[in-house]
């Protein structure tokens, strides 16, 4: 089997898998509905990518790999079934790949898994562990979201959406937190927790479970696993304790780290926020499980500069700083804006694009109170992604419901109106943070283009 075709190849998991298998000598083709940076990156690597889905695209493939985002009604998926070509979902293929490599390190959680995965991958690479890597965000040092290493270790970001992480085969798991998200897939928080219980059950008896102790839902999982469990967080009862923290100019944070009561030194980061200190200590705990000296890991983490679309500084527009962030859940929105408020003294503009009608509808009450640290909230229309507009929720509804809790909410809808509005009203010393899991980053990029012109 030498030719693999990926349906939905522009997505984070499939694009990374395609590159990993290309590195192993496979011929790769793929298709996607939209052109994107990810698609262009694959094309630059010599991978043939078809824009649009057509049964003819799978011609000559020995196996067809698809993503849950396209589903089994996709014409290429149906053609593979009709022709008897082996068909596999991306998460299942990743699980097989993990077994081939050797020891899998899976990092999961509602919030923070991409950054924690990136920190872990970069730290392990820096100290010579030489891991294979597949994560959901792009790292400048890797020039993308993957790395082909030569050791027995593979670091993967594990997503709970549609329970896809249950296809993985980890020997070490780190769980950052458990929150109610993906209401189109999980009707209640209990359903999410039950799925994480199943995820923990994947661990072998000689594995390790690493948990963010300050999140009660994650912390409770230690009762589920009979093997080794390790906790980390801001309380002294955890194995890894962040004893105190301080801001570091211009946009960093530092904290003193204890392991079982013994001082391991100060961890200094170039990225902001208490949540990033948490993420880094998770990476530190993983490295320690692999036998890496703590001081070496702390030094490696000090060089971490972030992940694309995670509080990413894009540039300046007439003296205003433009930042982009992937936050799309109320808790992540609140944490990101709290970080921004700590770091910036001027006005903060949050330009938010809700992601999915279902998430906006079911988490509406939480969203209304999530923007308190923004001086001005500008709302774009909902990014539909995989959903069809049900007609019972909109960004205008979100604006109306948020107004009692926020003094300045502006629903503008389309990007043209938002860019024009910002270009007239943003001033020197402001922070503009575009936020959401869709294509809202284009607003900031269009503002920066205005500067260039």
């Amino acid at each position: 089997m030498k030719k693999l075709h990926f349906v939905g190849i522009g997505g984070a998991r499939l694009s990374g898998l395609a590159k990993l298998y290309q590195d192993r000598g496979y011929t790769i083709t793929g298709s996607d509905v939209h052109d994107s940076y990810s698609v262009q990156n694959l094309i630059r690597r010599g991978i043939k990518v078809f824009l649009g889905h057509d049964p003819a695209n799978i011609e000559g493939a020995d196996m067809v790999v698809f993503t849950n985002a396209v589903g089994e009604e996709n014409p290429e998926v149906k053609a593979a079934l009709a022709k008897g070509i082996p068909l596999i979902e991306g998460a299942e293929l990743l699980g097989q790949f993990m077994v081939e490599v050797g020891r899998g390190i899976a990092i999961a959680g509602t919030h923070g898994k991409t950054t924690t995965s990136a920190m872990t991958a970069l730290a392990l690479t820096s100290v010579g562990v030489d891991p294979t890597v597949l994560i959901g965000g792009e790292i400048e040092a890797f020039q993308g979201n993957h790395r082909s290493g030569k050791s027995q270790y593979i670091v993967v970001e594990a997503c709970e959406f549609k329970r896809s992480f249950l296809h993985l085969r980890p020997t070490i798991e780190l769980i950052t937190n458990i929150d109610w998200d993906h209401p189109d897939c999980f009707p209640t928080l209990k359903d999410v927790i039950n799925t994480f219980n199943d995820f923990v059950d994947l661990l072998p008896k000689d594995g390790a479970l690493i948990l963010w102790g300050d999140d009660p839902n994650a912390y409770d999982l230690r009762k589920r696993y009979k093997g080794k469990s390790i906790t980390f967080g801001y309380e002294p009862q955890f194995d890894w304790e962040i004893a105190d923290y301080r801001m570091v100019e211009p946009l960093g944070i530092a904290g003193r780290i204890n392991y079982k009561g013994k001082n391991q030194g100060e961890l200094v980061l170039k990225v902001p926020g208490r949540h990033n200190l948490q993420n880094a200590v998770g990476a530190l705990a993983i490295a320690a499980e692999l036998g890496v000296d703590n001081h070496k890991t702390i030094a490696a983490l000090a060089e971490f500069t972030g992940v694309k679309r995670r509080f990413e500084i894009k540039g300046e527009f007439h003296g205003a700083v433009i930042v982009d962030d992937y936050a799309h859940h109320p808790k992540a929105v609140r944490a990101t804006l709290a970080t921004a408020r700590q770091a910036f003294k001027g006005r903060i503009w949050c330009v938010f694009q809700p992601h999915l009608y279902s998430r906006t509808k079911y988490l509406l009450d939480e969203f209304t109170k999530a923007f308190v640290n923004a001086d001005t909230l500008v709302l774009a229309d909902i990014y539909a992604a995989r959903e069809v507009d049900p007609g019972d929720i909109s960004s205008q509804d979100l604006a109306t419901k948020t107004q009692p809790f926020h003094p300045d909410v502006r629903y503008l809808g389309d990007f043209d109106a938002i860019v024009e509005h910002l270009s007239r009203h943003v001033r020197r010393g402001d922070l503009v943070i575009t936020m959401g899991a869709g294509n809202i980053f284009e607003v900031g990029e269009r503002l920066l283009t205005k500067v260039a012109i």
Side-chain angles (χ1 to χ4, degrees):
M1 184 182 299
K2 291 299 289 182
K3 183 178 178 182
L4 304 181
H5 179 79
F6 290 77
V7 186
I9 197 169
R13 179 185 292 133
L14 258 59
S15 66
L17 271 170
K19 290 178 279 190
L20 286 171
Y21 274 97
Q22 186 191 43
D23 290 348
R24 290 193 163 201
Y26 288 74
T27 299
I28 306 297
T29 62
S31 62
D32 209 284
V33 175
H34 303 291
D35 194 4
S36 64
Y37 174 84
S38 176
V39 165
Q40 289 302 315
N41 180 265
L42 292 162
I43 292 171
R44 284 192 293 271
R45 290 176 59 96
I47 293 174
K48 187 171 185 178
V49 179
F50 302 94
L51 289 180
H53 297 305
D54 189 305
N57 295 343
I58 70 169
E59 196 65 41
D62 297 309
M63 177 180 280
V64 171
V65 187
F66 71 101
T67 169
N68 275 323
V70 302
E72 296 184 8
E73 291 302 308
N74 178 277
E76 294 178 18
V77 173
K78 292 170 75 173
L81 284 169
K83 292 184 176 186
I85 299 172
L87 188 68
I88 190 169
E89 203 279 323
E92 190 176 349
L93 182 62
L94 178 56
Q96 293 180 13
F97 191 87
M98 291 174 75
V99 173
E100 290 176 24
V101 173
R103 295 193 65 193
I105 301 164
I107 297 167
T110 308
H111 318 294
K113 57 183 174 287
T114 299
T115 300
T116 305
S117 300
M119 287 175 164
T120 302
L122 282 168
L124 294 182
T125 301
S126 178
V127 299
V129 172
D130 196 16
T132 295
V133 176
L134 177 56
I135 65 173
E138 296 188 0
I139 311 172
E140 187 175 349
F142 296 164
Q143 293 296 294
N145 65 338
H146 94 296
R147 179 183 190 274
S148 291
K150 293 184 173 64
S151 75
Q152 64 176 321
Y153 297 106
I154 175 169
V155 177
V156 303
E157 180 177 337
C159 182
E160 75 276 17
F161 177 62
K162 289 195 174 180
R163 300 171 177 83
S164 65
F165 64 6
L166 299 183
H167 290 294
L168 304 183
R169 294 295 174 263
T171 55
I172 295 175
E173 290 180 0
L174 183 147
I175 298 172
T176 57
N177 44 62
I178 303 174
D179 214 338
W180 187 36
D181 195 11
H182 304 297
D184 54 332
C185 165
F186 301 110
T188 66
L189 175 59
K190 186 177 180 181
D191 292 307
V192 184
I193 293 171
N194 288 340
T195 299
F196 274 88
N197 282 330
D198 294 339
F199 181 58
V200 170
D201 290 345
L202 299 176
L203 280 172
K205 292 179 181 178
D206 61 348
L209 177 63
I210 302 172
L211 302 166
W212 169 237
D214 291 297
D215 181 82
N217 295 325
Y219 188 60
D220 280 349
L221 292 175
R222 75 196 191 285
K223 304 170 188 173
R224 181 83 178 185
Y225 183 52
K226 304 307 178 188
K228 184 179 184 180
S229 62
I230 300 141
T231 56
F232 66 103
Y234 283 91
E235 299 295 333
Q237 71 265 29
F238 303 140
D239 298 310
W240 292 88
E241 178 201 2
I242 306 169
D244 56 282
Y245 65 95
R246 61 184 176 85
M247 300 300 115
V248 176
E249 293 292 337
L251 276 176
I253 192 168
R256 183 166 53 83
I257 310 302
N258 293 331
Y259 176 65
K260 294 191 173 178
K262 294 183 179 179
N263 184 15
Q264 304 299 308
E266 188 175 53
L267 174 58
V268 182
L269 298 177
K270 295 179 180 177
V271 290
R274 289 176 83 251
H275 60 291
N276 274 324
L277 205 50
Q278 159 205 327
N279 297 335
V281 174
L284 177 59
I286 289 174
E289 282 305 296
L290 305 190
V292 178
D293 178 81
N294 293 336
H295 296 97
K296 289 183 178 179
T297 306
I298 287 171
L301 289 166
E303 298 306 312
F304 180 79
T305 55
V307 183
K308 189 175 179 66
R309 299 221 62 210
R310 271 69 179 179
F311 212 89
E312 179 187 7
I313 298 176
K314 306 282 287 189
E316 287 194 9
F317 174 79
H318 299 309
V321 178
I322 310 298
V323 169
D324 180 57
D325 196 88
Y326 192 71
H328 54 281
H329 184 281
K331 285 191 178 176
V333 169
R334 193 179 299 113
T336 301
L337 289 174
T339 296
R341 178 59 70 196
Q342 287 178 330
F344 287 88
K345 307 305 179 189
R347 293 189 306 172
I348 296 175
W349 295 72
C350 177
V351 184
F352 184 65
Q353 179 189 48
H355 186 262
L356 297 177
Y357 298 103
S358 57
R359 181 182 285 118
T360 309
K361 178 179 178 178
Y362 290 108
L363 301 181
L364 184 63
D365 286 346
E366 289 186 53
F367 272 121
T368 61
K369 303 172 186 70
F371 302 97
V372 291
N373 279 304
D375 294 288
T376 300
L377 170 61
V378 176
L379 289 172
D381 287 323
I382 295 171
Y383 188 83
R386 55 187 176 268
E387 295 182 337
V388 177
D389 186 354
D392 60 356
I393 188 68
S394 68
S395 285
Q396 178 66 72
D397 296 332
L398 176 58
T400 302
K401 294 283 189 179
T402 303
Q403 283 167 348
F405 306 99
H406 197 286
D408 190 357
V409 182
R410 308 178 190 183
Y411 165 69
L412 296 177
D414 69 81
F415 288 4
D416 288 343
I418 292 172
V419 171
E420 178 61 26
H421 188 82
L422 293 174
S423 65
R424 285 189 288 111
H425 294 285
V426 168
R427 62 176 184 248
R428 180 174 296 277
D430 288 354
L431 168 70
V432 177
I433 180 163
T434 57
M435 189 178 289
N439 61 341
I440 192 65
F441 61 88
E442 293 175 8
V443 167
E445 292 178 352
R446 286 173 61 177
L447 274 177
L448 294 174
T449 301
K450 278 180 172 281
V451 175
I453 292 171

